[in-house]
Amino acid sequence: MFTQKNMSTNSSVDHCKTPNPGTYEVLSWLMVVQFVLGLPLNLSVLYIFIFRFKFWKNKSIFLFNIVVADFLLVVCLPAKVYHYRHNLRRSQNAAVCKTMLFMLFLNRGASIAFLITLSIDRYFNVVHLGRRNFVKMLKKSPQISIVIWLLLLPLTIPTMVKTFECCNSHGRAVETPYHDVTDTFREAVFFTQIIIPFIILVYCTARIVNRLRKKTVGEKTKLRRAMCVVMSVVVVFSVCFLPCAVARAVLLAVRLKNWQATEDVVVQVYDSLMVLSYMDCLLDPLVYCFCNSGFKDAYISTFCPTFLRNRLLNSDFGLGTTTNTTSGTRTISLPIIEK
């Protein structure tokens, strides 16, 4: 009796509406800032990768794919801003709602997949010097990136299936077995694409940091900077992806308990952390600079004013690599991959 009453009350709530318009007004302004900063930043990064850095010659195909994923996220932000300004958590149009979720799932999956691939490559370069690095071989083949994108597409299919109210109804309404399987699969994809890569990332980073601490060749300052580089990916991952996964788990638990008042609060926390996760389109360019000093050189020489250019170019943050840009060739010692 009590459960049925709760279910009835819960079903009467319009879950597409924002529980607190003030919260979503603030979140919409935050996304405006992300868009205003992220669009020119990602366009400039794309310009450098294509016209100045020539990523296909410098074996930076995986980095370029992260840029593409970030750009897909940035172009979705205006629609999210529009919905939040109109007190909607999602679009009431089914096609727009599913397209937005498809793009966000695809961006998240691609960003994580290529970040993890870069971390594994760095792991082999540092911890297993001299051994055959299959990731390094994959970096030479652009077809591998296409395969990764194609493998991500099936994981986004559940977002395109019309089995959920307002794009998200797991634990909310009476579900048929088909609906339950689809919603469960979508939730499983959401969590596994964050938790499993995070475990891999932490393991690789811990081994890299341990290896660099034991390294006797090179300056200690550069080694410390190198450790900061490998940990930067963990920081980006922890800030952008891990918190929203935790909030998602709490939201599902509260929803299954039919605690509507608590759910209204948790929903706001979850949506706020999801907006925070969009910061990866601003933080990822830092990873580009840390991973490849050739990109840093090309970006600084193109966009930075003269009085900052020489100072920034002389600061290699303990990094370095041999890369070719249209402005010339620069060879720097890289403690991370130095044999």
Side-chain angles (χ1 to χ4, degrees), residues 157-169:
I157 289 177
T159 65
M160 305 297 290
V161 180
K162 188 176 181 180
T163 61
F164 47 94
E165 175 196 14
C166 202
C167 293
N168 197 346
S169 67

Side-chain angles (χ1 to χ4, degrees), residues 246-298:
V246 175
R248 182 71 181 174
V250 175
L251 175 59
L252 290 177
V254 170
R255 183 177 295 162
L256 291 171
K257 294 289 186 180
N258 296 316
W259 296 340
Q260 184 57 49
T262 305
E263 181 180 339
D264 289 342
V265 176
V266 177
V267 161
Q268 295 177 63
V269 175
Y270 170 70
D271 286 341
S272 299
L273 291 175
M274 284 297 294
V275 172
L276 178 65
S277 73
Y278 304 154
M279 290 293 293
D280 71 318
C281 66
L282 300 178
L283 296 178
D284 281 345
L286 298 178
V287 178
Y288 312 151
C289 291
F290 285 150
C291 286
N292 200 310
S293 67
F295 169 81
K296 177 177 74 78
D297 293 347

Side-chain angles (χ1 to χ4, degrees), residues 142-258:
Q143 291 82 3
I144 298 301
S145 297
I146 298 176
V147 170
I148 292 177
W149 282 100
L150 293 177
L151 290 176
L152 289 170
L153 290 178
L155 299 179
T156 64
I157 289 177
T159 65
M160 305 297 290
V161 180
K162 188 176 181 180
T163 61
F164 47 94
E165 175 196 14
C166 202
C167 293
N168 197 346
S169 67
H170 201 296
R172 183 172 287 153
V174 178
E175 299 178 337
T176 66
Y178 174 74
H179 292 172
D180 184 65
V181 169
T182 303
D183 289 340
T184 301
F185 180 69
R186 183 176 61 250
E187 300 297 341
V189 169
F190 180 87
F191 287 108
T192 55
Q193 73 173 195
I194 294 177
I195 296 174
I196 294 179
F198 183 72
I199 294 173
I200 296 173
L201 183 60
V202 170
Y203 172 80
C204 292
T205 303
R207 293 292 305 274
I208 291 171
V209 170
N210 184 59
R211 175 68 179 87
L212 290 174
R213 284 176 176 173
K214 294 179 180 179
K215 195 174 179 65
T216 58
V217 180
E219 299 177 6
K220 291 183 178 181
T221 301
K222 288 188 176 182
L223 294 179
R224 283 196 297 268
R225 289 173 178 172
M227 284 188 285
C228 291
V229 170
V230 296
M231 293 178 67
S232 66
V233 180
V234 178
V235 172
V236 172
F237 203 98
S238 300
V239 170
C240 295
F241 303 123
L242 203 58
C244 61
V246 175
R248 182 71 181 174
V250 175
L251 175 59
L252 290 177
V254 170
R255 183 177 295 162
L256 291 171
K257 294 289 186 180
N258 296 316

